[in-house]
Every structure is written in structure tokens, then in C-alpha cells.
Amino acid sequence: MTETTVGIGGAAESTDMVLNIGPQHPSTHGVLRLRLVLDGERIQSAEPVIGYMHRGAEKLFEARDYRQIIMLANRHDWLSAFSNELGVVLAVERMLGMEVPERAVWTRTLLAELNRVLNHLMFLGSYPLELGGITPIFHAFREREDLQHVMEEISGGRMHYMFNRVGGLKDDLPAGWLGRARQAVAEVRSRMGVYDDLVLGNEIFRGRTRGVGVLARETVHAYGVSGPIARASGVDFDLRRDEPYLAYAELRDVLEVAIREEGDCLARFECLLEQTHTSLALADACLDRLDELPPGPINQRLPKVLKAPEGHTYAWTENPLGLNGYYLVSKGEKTPYRLKLRSASYNNIQALTELLPGTLVADMVAILGSLFFVVGDIDK
């Protein structure tokens, strides 16, 4: 069999067409390139080509002190900045053997869940848009704005919050903020029926996603796929429940892990939607607990020059898109000797080599969008 690279137009009979999708394709949430080998309208093989946005964050970690690396870490997944910061400070605090105040623990948990909802709302709106439904994205941005207001009020940032600090959080909660946050959560919850009815109840959406892009459980394990993508294929694992951190051990009764067995595009969307409902319930539980806590410190006092003791540690968190891991190696200096980032999207996107072959080109965007990745999270 011969292989011919062609532009627009047909290839000679009995030859395969090599088609490049990207690296500026609008459905990829960033700059990703797909190299597809086609036999007519059917994909024979697929290779995700990454690296177009690579910024060398892991190398830059080695030239910044432990306060400065938070700024670098929160940018790779630009929809999950708070959660990205959290993994770094948890790793450094573990190296230092530091206990953070209870008020900081519960506030971190609350903000992590609000950040999770912000992340999921973007995909709940943009995925139907990629399949031709424009209405949900307008609803998604309205809901996001309600939560963005309270996140911006507490941190001063709309996307890159820079609110975590080693030892706690930057500042205490503003007066009356808990009430405004509770109201924002209630307003978002009251309008979540849009996605249950308008999207999941749409027969065209279901027709484009049911049975399409089925990801087997074995493939999930082989590629290290995690998050709602893995749980949609029957892999029942969520760090918040299985290896609790922050205040999640006390929230077991509220935390419901969304699981599906089908492993198709529809199951992945359903897991994401159900997880959003759960995060809103977790946020309410955190708000209730913060109302009960007496006034107290929100962080630990740190020395002017912060140095982690010599050694190494690994901290991981259940980020909105999946597992985020931070392997920190210290030589006792004020900068990390090495900080390796394991991001969710990097592993999740590799599954395309298994998902796309055998499918139609028309289903490619449906499968691609259902992996809910951010390209900056791949090219870190």
C-alpha cells in the first residue's frame, strides 16, 4: 500500500490520504495538530502532534523560588488556575511538614469546587457548539459570570487567581462574601436544567454522541486516562474520595462520583454534567462549614526566604480534567531542584490514537471535543 500526501482534492485510487487537521483548528481548545490517514471518509490512523504551545514551565520552575512558581503553575490549564496552584502548594507544604489552619483548608476546598464548576461549564457550553448547537454556550457564559464575580472579588483575578500561598491563602474572606458566594451557587444551580433538558434532551445531540468514540476500560488504564473521561468508561476512581486531601474526608456524604459504563461521547458529557451538580453541592457544604468556624488565621507566617528541606515528594490532586501530579525534588535551596508536572490532558489526549481509527471524519470533532482537554495542559 502506498501513502500519498495531498491537498484539497482526491487521491489516486487505492492510495490513502494524509490529512492535517490544525494546528489552528477551532474545535481543539488551543493549538493542536492531528495527522490523520484516511481511506475515503474513514480514519485509518490518527497521530496527535503536540508541542506548538510548549512554554518550558517545568524548566522555569527551577529558576523561581517557591512563592514565584505558583504563578507559572496556574497557567497550563487556564480553566483550572486555582486547582493548579493547589497542587504546588500542597507539595511544598508536605516537604515542610506544615499544617495549614482549618479555615484555609475549608476555603481551599470551596474555591477548588467553584473552580471545577467554572471549568465544566465551559465544556458543557462549548461541546454542543462544536456539534452545531449555539444556544448552550450563551447559558454557560452567563452561569460562569455569576461565579467569576465571587472568585474575582476574593482574589482580584478572573482567570489566574494567584490566591494560594504556601501555608494557606493570600487573604481572609471579605465581609459578606460567604453570602454572595452562596447566592451565586444557588443561581447557577437553578439554571442547570438547561443542560439536562436543552442538551441531553436533544435528539440530534444524542444521535451525534451515543455509541460514538467508545473508550474501553483497558485503554483507559493503558494510557493513564483520568477524570470524567475515565469514569465514563467505568473506571471508578476519584482522588477526593479514594485518597482524600483538603476537607474531602469530611464531605464523603456529599461527594457522589459520577460513573458510566458506555464509554462513548454521550457518557463523557453526562459524567461532566453530573460532576458539576456534585461540585455545587460540595460548595454549599463548604459554605455551611465556613459559617460555623470561628474567626481565625487563614495562613501560616513564613520566613522571608523559604527553603524546602532536602528530599523529594509527590502530591496529586483531582483536578477538573483529571489527575494532576507534582513530583518535587529539593536540594535544600529556595528554588526546586526539579518539579515535574503530570497533567491530565497530556495523558487523556493520547487516547485519540485508539479512539479515532475506524471512525468517520464526520465524527472526529464529536470525539475530539468529548475529551474535554486544554492544549496548554498538554504543552506545559
Side-chain angles (χ1 to χ4, degrees):
M1 181 180 292
T2 59
E3 189 172 282
T4 307
T5 304
V6 298
I8 298 175
E13 191 175 351
S14 78
T15 64
D16 291 334
M17 175 190 291
V18 178
L19 182 66
N20 282 295
I21 304 294
Q24 274 83 33
H25 197 271
S27 73
T28 57
H29 298 281
V31 187
L32 175 74
R33 173 183 159 212
L34 288 177
R35 183 182 181 276
L36 307 178
V37 178
L38 307 180
D39 180 8
E41 287 294 310
R42 200 164 291 279
I43 298 171
Q44 295 290 90
S45 66
E47 177 192 0
V49 183
I50 64 175
Y52 290 95
M53 294 183 63
H54 183 54
R55 292 163 289 181
E58 291 178 329
K59 194 64 183 174
L60 290 173
F61 287 152
E62 300 169 15
R64 306 291 193 277
D65 66 33
Y66 288 107
R67 293 178 175 91
Q68 295 168 329
I69 60 175
I70 298 172
M71 180 275 294
L72 291 169
N74 72 8
R75 281 162 164 73
H76 56 90
D77 174 1
W78 45 76
L79 296 176
S80 312
F82 186 87
S83 301
N84 299 337
E85 301 170 9
L86 189 59
V88 174
V89 297
L90 289 176
V92 179
E93 288 163 3
R94 183 175 296 177
M95 288 285 286
L96 293 168
M98 179 183 291
E99 292 287 336
V100 302
E102 186 180 13
R103 191 172 182 80
V105 171
W106 281 95
T107 306
R108 280 177 172 178
T109 309
L110 167 63
L111 296 177
E113 291 306 315
L114 292 180
N115 194 196
R116 194 181 310 274
V117 176
L118 283 170
N119 175 289
H120 291 354
L121 282 171
M122 177 60 78
F123 289 108
L124 291 173
S126 67
Y127 185 49
L129 177 65
E130 291 159 10
L131 299 180
I134 193 172
T135 307
I137 192 69
F138 297 120
H139 291 279
F141 271 97
R142 180 183 63 183
E143 270 68 91
R144 277 173 56 84
E145 278 302 308
D146 289 338
L147 296 177
Q148 287 281 22
H149 285 320
V150 295
M151 295 291 282
E152 186 176 4
E153 180 185 357
I154 196 173
S155 67
R158 281 183 62 83
M159 287 186 69
H160 306 304
Y161 303 110
M162 279 300 296
F163 197 57
N164 276 291
R165 294 292 187 273
V166 177
L169 295 167
K170 178 187 173 188
D171 294 309
D172 205 345
L173 307 175
W177 184 87
L178 289 175
R180 292 188 288 276
R182 191 183 296 278
Q183 182 180 358
V185 169
E187 288 177 357
V188 171
R189 182 187 289 105
S190 70
R191 296 196 289 260
M192 287 301 293
V194 168
Y195 308 99
D196 294 313
D197 303 329
L198 183 64
V199 181
L200 283 182
N202 186 289
E203 62 183 52
I204 298 175
F205 178 83
R206 299 183 75 87
R208 289 291 307 275
T209 55
R210 186 193 286 116
V212 175
V214 177
L215 181 64
R217 184 181 306 187
E218 296 75 19
T219 307
V220 168
H221 292 308
Y223 284 85
V225 175
S226 60
I229 313 302
R231 292 190 283 273
S233 295
V235 178
D236 189 1
F237 181 73
D238 189 313
L239 270 180
R240 297 173 297 172
R241 179 198 63 196
D242 301 324
E243 289 190 24
Y245 58 99
L246 294 181
Y248 289 115
E250 299 182 48
L251 294 169
R252 289 183 183 275
D253 295 338
V254 183
L255 177 58
E256 298 179 3
V257 179
I259 303 293
R260 296 290 186 278
E261 297 293 334
E262 296 83 359
D264 56 9
C265 295
L266 180 60
R268 291 191 278 274
F269 186 86
E270 288 175 342
C271 277
L272 200 75
L273 179 56
E274 191 173 325
Q275 190 165 285
T276 307
H277 286 288
T278 298
S279 290
L280 291 170
L282 288 168
D284 269 339
C286 291
L287 287 165
D288 291 340
R289 183 58 185 269
L290 284 168
D291 273 335
E292 299 169 359
L293 287 178
I298 200 78
N299 50 37
Q300 296 273 26
R301 292 185 63 87
L302 298 176
K304 187 173 182 180
V305 178
L306 180 63
K307 294 183 179 181
E310 188 169 347
H312 60 93
T313 191
Y314 184 74
W316 58 343
T317 57
E318 185 70 43
N319 266 36
L321 299 181
L323 297 178
N324 253 42
Y326 297 86
Y327 179 59
L328 173 63
V329 181
S330 171
K331 294 289 187 179
E333 302 296 331
K334 66 178 182 179
T335 62
Y337 176 75
R338 185 78 173 92
L339 181 53
K340 176 71 174 72
L341 169 62
R342 187 263 192 224
S343 60
S345 297
Y346 182 84
N347 286 67
N348 291 357
I349 200 67
Q350 308 306 321
L352 284 172
T353 58
E354 301 281 346
L355 276 176
L356 289 178
T359 64
L360 296 172
V361 175
D363 290 328
M364 182 202 64
V365 172
I367 297 170
L368 197 61
S370 73
L371 292 186
F372 311 128
F373 60 89
V374 172
V375 178
D377 203 38
I378 305 169
D379 299 342
K380 46 194 181 291

